[in-house]
Structure formats: C-alpha cells, structure tokens
Amino acid sequence: MEIAVESLETSALTKAQLAELLFEQIGLNKRESKDMIDAFFVLIADTLVDGNDVKISGFGNFQIRTKAPRPGRNPRTGEAIPIEARRVVTFHASHKLKEQIQGGHL
C-alpha cells in the first residue's frame, strides 16, 4: 500500500497531515486517524522514555544515548559553566531509507 503525499502545503510532514492522509487514502474516519497517529507516537515516546530502542524495519532506529557531563562555556560572557549529564535520542536511517533518499524517490 502506498500513501501519496504530493499535496503537502509545507516542506515538513505534520501529525495532522498524517492523520488527514489516513482519512483520505485508507478510509478511516478523522477521529480514528488522529487517534491512530497519536497512539503511534505515544508508543514510540514511551518506549524511548523507558530506555528501550525503537527499530522500524526499512526506516531506521531511534536510540537513547547517555551523554556524560562536560565543561561548557557561555558564548556571550565566556564564563565556564558545567553541562550536566543527559539522555538524548539519536536516529540512524536504515540502508533502505538511505538508498531511497539517494535515488530521490520513496
């Protein structure tokens, strides 16, 4: 099944646009479409918050990485400030997605 996204008004695909595409092309009603998109992203976010990676075959991997504390500097004043340890999300595109991007089509 292929979903066409030619009619995008902006250069970024939004959750609202995803829900609209589900409504138009899959046949779900608007409420179901919005709920499905919201549930999908809540599931991904909750999985990452719990410290687990998210792997979407043919698309890529979202991984949690812990960054160590390090010294930083205020660029305006030059004052040294400590940057605390934190967890960040990284995304690594799959080889299939990279090939599609290089080829200019999805």
Side-chain angles (χ1 to χ4, degrees):
M1 174 180 300
E2 197 167 310
I3 296 178
V5 292
E6 295 89 27
S7 63
L8 293 180
E9 296 171 6
T10 64
S11 61
L13 181 61
T14 66
K15 285 174 36 174
Q17 290 169 327
L18 284 171
E20 185 68 23
L21 289 168
L22 284 177
F23 167 70
E24 292 172 357
Q25 298 182 17
I26 305 294
L28 299 175
N29 70 42
K30 288 190 178 193
R31 186 68 178 156
E32 290 172 332
S33 298
K34 182 187 177 310
D35 290 347
M36 184 176 289
I37 295 298
D38 287 342
F40 176 75
F41 287 107
V42 165
L43 179 61
I44 289 175
D46 288 348
T47 301
L48 291 168
V49 167
D50 289 343
N52 298 311
D53 296 343
V54 175
K55 299 179 183 216
I56 302 173
S57 179
F59 186 73
N61 300 326
F62 295 91
Q63 298 172 316
I64 292 292
R65 182 173 157 231
T66 302
K67 296 183 91 173
R70 60 187 172 91
R73 189 165 306 280
N74 181 330
R76 184 170 290 161
T77 65
E79 174 189 2
I81 55 171
I83 299 174
E84 297 180 10
R86 62 192 193 276
R87 293 184 341 159
V88 297
V89 177
T90 60
F91 175 74
H92 298 282
S94 71
H95 292 294
K96 186 175 183 180
L97 178 59
K98 287 178 184 178
E99 288 171 4
Q100 289 174 332
I101 290 170
Q102 291 300 319
H105 64 281
L106 290 175

